[in-house]
Amino acid sequence: MLLVVLAAIAEMFIDYVFKARASASAADQEALLRFFAVVYTGIGVLTVGLQAFATRPALQRLGLARTASLLPAVTAVGGAGALVAPGLWTATGARVGEIVTRNSLYRSAFEVLFTPLSPRDKRATKSLIDVGVVRLGDVVGSVLVQGVLLMTVTAALPVMLGLAIAFSAVAFWVSLRLHRGYVRSLERSLLSQANDLEVKEITDLTTRTAFMETLGAVDLSVLRAAVETQPPRDEPRREEAPAAGALEPEVARAVELRSRDGERVRSALGHGTLTPGLVPQAIGLLAWNEVARDAIAALRLVAARHVGQLEDHLLDADEEFTVRRRIPLVLADVHTARVVRVLLDGLADPRFEVRYRCGRALNRIKGADPGITVGLDVVTAAVRREVAVDKGVWESRRLLDQLDDEEWSPVMDEVIRDRADRSLEHVFTLLALVLPRAPLKAAFHGLHTNDPMLRGTALEYLETALPEAVRGPLWPFLDDDRPGDRPRRPTKDVVDALLGSNQSIALNLEALRKRREEDGD
């Protein structure tokens, strides 16, 4: 955290000097824009080149801590050059060197430094550092820049360069101390033989080399002896850490899961129940289309014991979208109040397909366990969020996946699958959590017919069944073209008429489907 804060502050000073020199040297706004375009294009090219050709040798020869220390070192050297020879090009060189090093060498080492942490600790710590601590450094750096500008104007840029050099020097010293703390973390992880230690997941040669070079400071024979002589824990209902020899099958299975060979991965997923240490890898495999179904099947067998991990991945906005939209398929077979709460939280997700699959999973759980209830206020709030968009967004929503939840919809079936828009289906799926399913499904089908009477009956039912808080905002999306002076029938009569129209609705939809197929031919 200290390294990140110091590096961010130094970056603020270098960035200000660079932009100040550029603004002072540019003849006009257009020339300034051209200059920045050229510089940042060059930065992109240099970053790719350094990442491709220098990162591997640096990690292998310098190790993690010294590779990370290259960022403050380059920043300090660049700042010194800009201080000794003031001008646009030295300031540009300092800024380019800082950005390129940060996005290649530093970032590659920085990510691996989290390896000894358990997945849960890594998610919490890394998110805090990547977002909170970086923003803290930006704020502190901005305040210091303003302070320098208030105290001095004529010598502001040299002072900022001097401060950048000073902060970078401290950051360099801090980065070299990372090695000691990293080794201590590895020792603790190895002594505890924790399943969360991800050494077994490192298959990339460069990363493994850097990791093992750092590990060289640890006496593995002493650690092995310590592990073998540790007394068993007395904690009740907690799985004991396996002995060193017992880890071998799990390590082999982990290697298979990381092989990127579809057949090997599928075989490993189907080879018995997933252990706690393999669950994070299986969750990651949800993003791979070729093995996604196998990963879902394997995770369903252990989902009840790992709801917390699945929840973390589902609700983490930084998690890969493909993983997040497939986790509800795993949770749908766990019929507990906790899973219902997790899926209800998913109904507020920014991504439509995550919300859509959470709705289907909730209906599957409720269908399997009628004792599970969902509050009307929760469903009302979810529906109101769905309809709080313009019609263009409403009609543009599509699914990227078609997996094994196609039969889970309480209102959709094969006859109208090609006609129904997903937004309306999702809203009716949510409503099915609190309204009777049979008339709701009939109304949904009736809305997709071209018979005015059948559509009218469906709309009449929705008028009487939907709460006002839902009916008002939803109605503009239903294309109600009935006359305004129509008589109102009792709800029971409308429901009876709607259910009695089921056969007519089915025949109308089948005729529409056949006509569409003929037009397509």
Side-chain angles (χ1 to χ4, degrees), residues 147-218:
V148 172
L149 292 174
L150 289 174
M151 289 186 295
T152 176
V153 177
T154 56
L157 299 187
V159 170
M160 289 183 192
L161 289 172
L163 289 172
I165 295 170
F167 278 103
S168 297
V170 178
F172 182 79
W173 176 76
V174 170
S175 64
L176 293 180
R177 293 175 61 85
L178 287 174
H179 178 81
R180 185 185 308 170
Y182 183 66
V183 170
R184 284 200 301 267
S185 296
L186 286 176
E187 289 175 345
R188 287 194 297 268
S189 295
L190 290 170
L191 280 171
S192 67
Q193 288 288 298
N195 282 329
D196 289 332
L197 179 64
E198 295 183 354
V199 180
K200 57 182 179 249
E201 297 182 9
I202 303 177
T203 57
D204 173 68
L205 177 60
T206 302
T207 305
R208 183 180 291 278
T209 301
F211 176 83
M212 294 308 296
E213 286 185 354
T214 303
L215 192 62
V218 182

Side-chain angles (χ1 to χ4, degrees), residues 85-105:
L88 173 60
W89 296 112
T90 53
T92 302
R95 181 58 172 153
V96 169
E98 189 273 333
I99 295 178
V100 171
T101 306
R102 176 184 295 276
N103 293 336
S104 56
L105 299 171

Side-chain angles (χ1 to χ4, degrees), residues 40-53 55 96 99-105:
Y40 286 109
T41 300
I43 286 173
V45 173
L46 289 173
T47 300
V48 171
L50 202 62
Q51 184 72 30
F53 300 108
T55 299
V96 169
I99 295 178
V100 171
T101 306
R102 176 184 295 276
N103 293 336
S104 56
L105 299 171

Side-chain angles (χ1 to χ4, degrees), residues 57 64 129 137 205 232-233 237-238 247 342 429 463 478 486:
L64 301 179
I129 292 178
L205 177 60
R233 297 177 182 175
R237 300 181 65 183
R238 182 168 180 174
L247 284 177
V342 171
T429 298
E463 274 185 324
L478 300 182
R486 58 191 178 276

Side-chain angles (χ1 to χ4, degrees), residues 8 13 58-59 82 117 195 215 255 267 287 347 438 460 476 478 488:
F13 286 124
L59 288 172
L117 299 181
N195 282 329
L215 192 62
V255 171
S267 175
L347 294 179
E460 190 177 1
L478 300 182
R488 296 289 296 272

Side-chain angles (χ1 to χ4, degrees), residues 226-400:
V227 171
E228 293 174 351
T229 57
Q230 277 186 338
R233 297 177 182 175
D234 296 326
E235 297 175 12
R237 300 181 65 183
R238 182 168 180 174
E239 186 173 325
E240 296 296 328
L247 284 177
E248 293 304 322
E250 184 177 2
V251 172
R253 194 175 178 190
V255 171
E256 292 298 294
L257 291 177
R258 301 278 292 184
S259 67
R260 305 307 297 173
D261 182 315
E263 289 299 326
R264 292 170 60 187
V265 171
R266 280 191 290 271
S267 175
L269 286 169
H271 188 65
T273 304
L274 293 171
T275 63
L278 298 178
V279 168
Q281 291 191 53
I283 293 175
L285 290 171
L286 294 174
W288 186 6
N289 291 339
E290 185 178 345
V291 300
R293 283 184 169 84
D294 301 87
I296 291 170
L299 286 168
R300 280 174 176 164
L301 299 176
V302 298
R305 298 195 297 274
H306 298 280
V307 173
Q309 285 194 60
L310 292 164
E311 176 184 8
D312 290 344
H313 286 274
L314 172 65
L315 303 180
D316 182 2
D318 294 328
E319 176 61 83
E320 187 170 351
F321 174 47
T322 311
V323 172
R324 297 176 59 233
R325 70 176 186 251
R326 290 172 176 172
I327 286 178
L329 303 176
V330 177
L331 292 173
D333 281 347
V334 184
H335 307 153
T336 65
R338 182 182 181 186
V339 169
V340 170
R341 177 186 60 77
V342 171
L343 293 170
L344 289 174
D345 289 342
L347 294 179
D349 195 87
R351 301 299 293 264
F352 171 71
E353 194 162 353
V354 174
R355 304 194 303 271
Y356 177 91
R357 293 203 180 280
C358 285
R360 280 194 164 188
L362 283 166
N363 268 281
R364 179 172 174 83
I365 292 173
K366 185 171 174 58
D369 186 354
I372 290 177
T373 60
V374 179
L376 176 62
D377 56 336
V378 176
V379 173
T380 299
V383 172
R384 288 177 65 87
R385 285 194 298 268
E386 294 299 330
V387 299
V389 296
D390 60 44
K391 204 156 188 177
V393 174
W394 175 274
E395 294 174 350
S396 67
R397 288 167 173 167
R398 297 289 184 272
L399 298 184
L400 301 177

